[in-house]
Amino acid sequence: MSDPAPENEPRPKRERGDDGGTGPVVELINAAFAYEGVMALDHVTMQAFAGEAVALIGPNGSGKSTLLRGLLGLLPLADGSLKIFGHQRRPGVTEGIGYLPQQESTEPNFPISLRQVVMMGRYRRIGFWRFARAIDRLAVNEALEMTGLTARASARFGALSGGQQQRGLLARALAAKPRLLLLDEPFNGLDQPNRAALLTTLRELKMRGVTIVVTTHDLDLARDVCDKVLLLAGTQVAFGATDEVLTLENLQGAFGDVQVEVDEHRVVIPGHDH
């Protein structure tokens, strides 16, 4: 079957608040989340605007992944308010949201190319039983270029390095053209070249107006690419501009008796294994 004639990318229905779209992309007010009645995270108040990156930082069990699940609509609010794109978060509504999980198992010998993996990010638009259109292929090419993987597009996904696979999964999320991108520890286990490539991608996304929320235990990363930090310890310890939040007092409040060092260049938590 021949491809349909090229067409303009259909614009997703944009959910704008009363401010005409200039307000926060993500807004939580005294938000709380619980699992089966047991409180996992409470008293979270934060805002993230278009083109901003927010780092979620805290020790294991502090509520970082819980908050991501709440933003994804997988975990209902136990209290407070959560708005995405100016509207109350509704379960199951993922339009405009991209997600990169912390780990995703892949069968190394499965005969699928990187390009095919990235095309999966377009399935919501083209459907499982339709052929990719020219506009879908263009979106995939742009996502591969943005993540620096164009030259590896035809390679078998399982043959890529771990870092390249991670960037490929990010490209899959980007192929859907998200306005809000949620990343769960995207830098875990990356070597320096893949880390640098991913940092470049995140900076480019911010320039394009994408809002990024990223969990990380890498405080240098937070300083490098994030505008704001939400520091968690089962509750909100601090939220605000990165340099204002990553202070000795705040970090000790979140990490307890873990040794913390602060100097004018960076913040380090020795021995912290996320």
Side-chain angles (χ1 to χ4, degrees):
M1 178 182 293
S2 61
D3 292 321
E7 59 184 81
N8 293 329
E9 176 74 15
R11 292 180 178 272
K13 182 179 180 181
R14 297 178 71 93
E15 298 190 33
R16 293 183 178 271
D18 294 336
D19 55 17
T22 60
V25 173
V26 177
E27 183 178 39
L28 296 98
I29 300 175
N30 202 31
F33 302 90
Y35 294 96
E36 298 181 351
V38 179
M39 193 65 67
L41 179 65
D42 60 12
H43 295 100
V44 177
T45 297
M46 62 159 281
Q47 291 182 329
F49 292 81
E52 287 187 338
V54 179
L56 308 182
I57 294 177
N60 292 340
S62 62
K64 301 187 298 295
S65 294
T66 294
L67 183 52
L68 282 191
R69 287 176 59 82
L71 295 177
L72 284 166
L74 301 176
L75 188 64
L77 276 170
D79 196 11
S81 172
L82 166 57
K83 291 183 178 181
I84 304 288
F85 307 136
H87 290 259
Q88 292 292 336
R89 188 70 176 98
R90 300 193 304 274
V93 178
T94 58
E95 185 69 45
I97 302 176
Y99 174 54
L100 178 64
Q102 184 173 138
Q103 293 181 336
E104 184 166 329
S105 60
T106 304
E107 170 54 51
N109 295 319
F110 191 72
I112 187 171
S113 70
L114 170 60
R115 182 180 298 278
Q116 289 172 310
V117 168
V118 178
M119 183 63 75
M120 293 176 183
R122 301 292 299 177
Y123 282 177
R124 189 184 305 152
R125 294 182 183 274
I126 65 179
F128 284 98
W129 306 111
R130 290 177 53 192
F131 288 91
R133 304 159 299 171
I135 196 65
D136 299 311
R137 293 192 293 272
L138 178 60
V140 167
N141 289 340
E142 289 178 347
L144 287 166
E145 181 178 2
M146 184 172 291
T147 52
L149 292 171
T150 300
R152 302 291 285 160
S154 299
R156 181 168 54 83
F157 188 75
L160 301 176
S161 70
Q164 290 173 333
Q165 288 186 6
Q166 182 79 336
R167 287 157 54 199
L169 294 175
L170 175 59
R172 181 183 65 182
L174 298 182
K177 304 289 187 179
R179 296 168 56 201
L180 170 62
L181 183 62
L182 308 177
L183 308 174
D184 196 359
E185 294 288 356
F187 289 85
N188 270 6
L190 294 189
D191 58 18
Q192 187 56 40
N194 280 296
R195 175 191 171 94
L198 189 50
L199 281 170
T200 297
T201 299
L202 296 185
R203 292 189 181 104
E204 174 66 20
L205 289 169
K206 288 173 58 181
M207 290 179 60
R208 295 188 180 201
V210 176
T211 304
I212 300 169
V213 179
V214 52
T215 71
T216 182
H217 65 271
D218 187 331
L219 304 187
D220 286 336
L221 162 66
R223 286 191 180 277
D224 285 344
V225 77
C226 294
D227 307 279
K228 298 175 180 177
V229 168
L230 176 60
L231 194 58
L232 300 172
T235 189
Q236 180 170 316
V237 176
F239 171 71
T242 301
D243 288 340
E244 295 176 2
V245 171
L246 293 183
T247 65
L248 177 62
E249 181 180 4
N250 286 337
L251 289 168
Q252 287 178 330
F255 289 89
D257 58 1
V258 176
Q259 180 185 357
V260 180
E261 299 175 7
V262 179
D263 61 36
E264 63 182 6
H265 301 293
R266 60 181 177 175
V267 183
V268 182
I269 301 180
H272 173 55
D273 184 13
H274 182 82

